[in-house]
Amino acid sequence: MNKHKVYIAIDDTDEVGYYTSTGEICEDIREHIDKNHSRTTPISRHQLLLDERIPYTSHNSSMCFTCELDLETFEQVKNFILSYVADKSAPSSSPGVCMGFERDICNRDALIAYGLDAKKIVLTKESAYETAAAQKLFLKEVKNKGNGIIGALAGVALRAYGNDGRIKGKIKLGKKSIAVSELLEKGLFEEVRLKHGKTADKNHHIVINEYLKGVYIDHKSVLLLEEYGGFYKPLVKEDLLDY
């Protein structure tokens, strides 16, 4: 059976003071798929609207990644995710799960518009279900009010957009500097750019104070840099809040 690209996103699985987070639960799911079914891509974190009318825990962000599945395995993975999220999510949380084949999305622009709206306006569960049905995406409330379906669908939409989201986690190389060419050879990022968009010189060195953190631009994992006294310096989390 042929395998095709699948988007998987979850949202709203935690509560204040809970022992784990949506990002950690998503990482567990990604590792399970990677070990048993398919290679996966890094998790992207998508910032959604911060508004007092939205019952988010702390940051109102959703998590998404992709893998390659056939129809039969898709069902197995779907059932695993629903069970895992139900078991690991916080008692008062309202988790939602969204997943689907890229090839089945009927109107990519309409889906992306939904994701961009989720960053600007308050959306309803009804509009989430309507959008998911129109785009042939699986969308499921896992427990309680299930408000997480709004963010989960937005996570898939923004990942499909390809120009939104920070890559979950911080990469620590254990060294103070590295050439751009060596970093690319390690395969940790698909591209290294300066923050204004210019491709970084492969012969230049990057001075690393703490860690490396990537973002998604043009459907690629990208490390953004800035000039730093004849070297490059990576942008850190605080510099990447727009992603």
Side-chain angles (χ1 to χ4, degrees):
M1 207 177 287
N2 293 329
K3 293 186 175 182
H4 302 278
K5 182 177 180 179
V6 172
Y7 292 97
I8 297 174
I10 65 172
D11 189 26
D12 204 348
T13 70
D14 57 5
E15 64 188 17
V16 175
Y18 196 56
Y19 76 94
T20 191
S21 66
T22 298
E24 289 168 339
I25 291 174
C26 193
E27 189 65 56
D28 291 344
I29 293 169
R30 190 185 72 84
E31 288 178 1
H32 170 83
I33 295 171
D34 212 52
K35 181 179 179 181
N36 295 287
H37 302 293
S38 160
R39 292 188 63 181
T40 58
T41 57
I43 295 169
S44 51
R45 173 199 181 278
H46 301 277
Q47 181 63 56
L48 307 178
L49 177 67
L50 297 175
D51 187 291
E52 61 183 12
R53 292 170 291 174
I54 300 173
Y56 57 86
T57 304
S58 57
H59 302 297
N60 197 28
S61 58
S62 64
M63 305 286 167
C64 185
F65 65 95
T66 66
C67 58
E68 302 276 335
L69 301 174
D70 59 38
L71 282 171
E72 182 178 341
T73 312
F74 181 93
E75 291 300 314
Q76 294 175 18
V77 168
K78 182 178 77 177
N79 292 332
F80 168 79
I81 293 173
L82 293 175
S83 174
Y84 195 81
V85 170
D87 183 48
K88 296 295 183 181
S89 56
S92 68
S93 65
S94 296
V97 172
C98 183
M99 56 188 294
F101 287 100
E102 182 179 57
R103 64 173 186 170
D104 291 341
I105 295 172
C106 301
N107 187 331
R108 189 182 186 85
D109 290 342
L111 177 63
I112 291 170
Y114 176 90
L116 295 175
D117 279 349
K119 298 173 76 68
K120 298 179 292 188
I121 61 176
V122 179
L123 298 174
T124 65
K125 289 199 297 183
E126 288 73 22
S127 68
Y129 278 125
E130 290 173 3
T131 302
Q135 305 308 327
K136 297 183 178 180
L137 293 167
F138 171 79
L139 188 65
K140 179 78 172 179
E141 301 175 30
V142 179
K143 67 183 180 186
N144 296 323
K145 294 183 179 180
N147 292 321
I149 61 167
I150 298 169
L153 178 61
V156 169
L158 291 168
R159 185 65 177 251
Y161 176 43
N163 285 295
D164 187 88
R166 302 195 295 269
I167 298 173
K168 180 181 174 294
K170 299 173 181 176
I171 297 174
K172 296 183 178 181
L173 297 178
K175 56 169 63 177
K176 293 293 185 182
S177 72
I178 187 171
V180 172
S181 58
E182 183 182 354
L183 181 66
L184 288 170
E185 287 171 5
K186 287 180 176 293
L188 298 172
F189 300 96
E190 293 173 87
E191 199 168 317
V192 180
R193 299 183 186 181
L194 300 184
K195 62 181 181 181
H196 49 63
K198 181 180 176 183
T199 301
D201 186 332
K202 292 184 178 180
N203 296 315
H204 269 45
H205 273 70
I206 304 167
V207 176
I208 305 170
N209 289 327
E210 295 182 69
Y211 59 84
L212 305 176
K213 189 167 187 65
V215 296
Y216 271 97
I217 303 174
D218 295 337
H219 300 275
K220 299 175 183 176
S221 60
V222 177
L223 178 68
L224 289 177
L225 309 169
E226 61 183 352
E227 303 277 3
Y228 182 66
F231 297 90
Y232 291 142
K233 182 174 73 172
L235 300 191
V236 295
K237 181 179 177 181
E238 289 71 21
D239 304 317
L240 301 170
L241 299 181
D242 290 338
Y243 289 90

